[in-house]
Amino acid sequence: QVQFVESGGGLVQAGGSLRLSCTASGFTFSSRAMAWYRQAPEKERMLVAAIDIGGRTIYTQSVNDRFTISRDNAKNTLYLQMNNLKPEDTGVYSCARGDTTSYSGAFDSWGKGTQVTVSS
């Protein structure tokens, strides 16, 4: 079955950095778009960044120029490098699998997530 193991979250001061990782199994990682989602307290889950099988990326505006999504197909692993973190970046970050090769499609499976907390 589809499984994700996320890691790299933690508590960091504003302006700091974290690198999240998500190792996937149970499907052909290289043939699906992937994404990172964030759920903040009392807010709906939102798309933060996505990457297609060709390495093309998109980001929500609030993280542009601060976050970088990447993938290593040989390791079945998705990454999110987060720099210059802000308190509003706080939340549970989950990786997600696309239902196609493109990030324009839907996402159909999510990991349990890793907590990121940014203090001011």
Side-chain angles (χ1 to χ4, degrees), residues 33-95:
M34 295 293 296
W36 286 99
Y37 277 75
R38 176 177 70 218
Q39 183 153 26
E42 301 182 356
K43 292 188 177 180
E44 292 190 359
R45 184 171 57 191
M46 63 169 285
L47 179 69
V48 174
I51 184 168
D52 70 9
I53 64 168
R56 287 173 289 272
T57 60
I58 56 166
Y59 299 91
T60 191
Q61 188 174 3
S62 64
V63 307
N64 246 340
D65 298 326
R66 297 189 297 121
F67 290 11
T68 302
I69 187 172
S70 61
R71 65 192 299 163
D72 185 337
N73 290 336
K75 296 181 178 179
N76 286 355
T77 301
L78 180 72
Y79 302 100
L80 185 67
Q81 178 66 45
M82 305 187 294
N83 298 328
N84 190 20
L85 282 159
K86 303 177 179 181
E88 52 264 40
D89 296 322
T90 293
V92 176
Y93 285 73
S94 302
C95 60

